[in-house]
């Protein structure tokens, strides 16, 4: 839990420094973020590559786990559809379009803004950022309550990049390849599902 709180603390510190202009990185901020993420993924790759038990454990994984991305997508869409009960100004399709972002906030918010306007685009941005942050913060709790697959489903499309390090740490290295596969398929589904629900 300490590691998750530290991640969130750094995020909050970054927001404060950005808002107050105490430390302005300007155009290089995106490059630095990419370099940091690349470094994290390199370390995860090194850890997995040097751990032969992780590769052996892949053979023991149940083939039913290949359906995990489909179950994540179905569960997300069902939850998003149910949430429309609480948002009277928005249709079921609008809520499902937001949910279809699968935590891929940069792409989904742009698509939704184009189709449905800036208001719903902003909601999609915040909802999908929240999904990623909740996965980063709560990964140990999710594993404790619902098992090793819980952070992978919670992370949606981010499980092949930003949330991969915490999944590797709390779910185990033997779930890294599954996490990447899961993230790739969720990521791939985003443009199709968001477009579908935005045009209904």
């Amino acid at each position: 839990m300490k590691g998750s709180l530290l991640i969130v603390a750094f995020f909050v510190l970054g927001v404060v420094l950005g808002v107050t202009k105490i430390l302005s990185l300007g155009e290089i901020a995106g490059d630095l973020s990419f370099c940091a993420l690349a470094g994290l993924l390199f370390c995860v790759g090194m850890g997995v590559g040097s751990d032969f038990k992780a590769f052996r454990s892949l053979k023991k994984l149940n083939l039913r786990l290949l359906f995990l991305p489909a179950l994540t997508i179905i569960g997300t869409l069902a939850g998003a559809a149910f949430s429309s009960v609480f948002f009277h100004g928005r249709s079921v399709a609008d809520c499902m379009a937001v949910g279809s972002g699968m935590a891929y906030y940069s792409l989904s918010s742009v698509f939704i803004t184009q189709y449905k306007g800036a208001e719903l685009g902003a909601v999609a941005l915040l909802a999908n950022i929240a999904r990623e942050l909740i996965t980063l913060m709560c990964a140990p709790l999710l594993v404790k309550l619902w098992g090793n697959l819980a952070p992978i489903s919670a992370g949606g499309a981010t499980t092949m990049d930003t949330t991969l390090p915490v999944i590797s740490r709390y779910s185990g290295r033997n779930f890294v390849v599954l996490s990447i596969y899961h993230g790739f398929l969720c990521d791939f589904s985003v443009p199709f599902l968001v477009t579908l629900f935005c045009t209904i």
Side-chain angles (χ1 to χ4, degrees), residues 69-141:
L71 295 173
T72 296
I73 292 167
I74 292 166
T76 299
L77 295 178
F82 178 73
S83 73
S84 66
V85 172
F86 305 100
F87 300 106
H88 301 293
R90 292 294 175 182
S91 66
V92 174
D94 285 349
C95 292
M96 292 178 81
V98 171
S100 296
M102 301 289 162
Y104 192 171
Y105 52 84
S106 56
L107 180 67
S108 61
S109 59
V110 170
F111 268 61
I112 292 171
T113 299
Q114 287 177 346
Y115 282 103
K116 294 285 189 174
E119 184 184 348
L120 195 63
V123 170
L125 177 69
L126 293 173
N128 286 293
I129 286 175
R131 182 172 182 171
E132 181 177 349
L133 285 176
I134 288 167
T135 305
L136 288 169
M137 288 173 56
C138 301
L141 183 63

Side-chain angles (χ1 to χ4, degrees), residues 35-101:
C35 290
L37 178 59
L40 274 172
L41 294 179
F42 176 77
C43 291
V44 170
M46 287 287 288
V48 171
S50 62
D51 186 2
F52 294 107
K53 289 180 183 176
F55 288 107
R56 281 199 292 269
S57 65
L58 268 177
K59 295 175 183 176
K60 297 176 185 175
L61 282 178
N62 196 316
L63 287 176
R64 286 182 292 181
L65 292 178
L66 294 176
F67 295 102
L68 183 63
L71 295 173
T72 296
I73 292 167
I74 292 166
T76 299
L77 295 178
F82 178 73
S83 73
S84 66
V85 172
F86 305 100
F87 300 106
H88 301 293
R90 292 294 175 182
S91 66
V92 174
D94 285 349
C95 292
M96 292 178 81
V98 171
S100 296

Side-chain angles (χ1 to χ4, degrees), residues 2-18 133:
K2 275 185 181 177
S4 297
L5 291 174
L6 191 61
I7 289 167
V8 175
F10 273 103
F11 173 77
V12 172
L13 178 63
V15 170
V16 171
L17 291 175
L133 285 176

Side-chain angles (χ1 to χ4, degrees), residues 146-160:
W146 295 293
N148 294 327
L149 297 178
I152 300 176
S153 281
T158 67
T159 60
M160 68 177 185

Side-chain angles (χ1 to χ4, degrees), residues 138-178:
C138 301
L141 183 63
L142 291 171
V143 168
K144 188 176 180 180
L145 293 176
W146 295 293
N148 294 327
L149 297 178
I152 300 176
S153 281
T158 67
T159 60
M160 68 177 185
D161 44 54
T162 52
T163 59
L164 183 59
V166 294
I167 289 167
S168 172
R169 181 174 178 180
Y170 295 109
S171 293
R173 288 178 182 170
N174 52 321
F175 287 92
V176 166
V177 175
L178 175 65

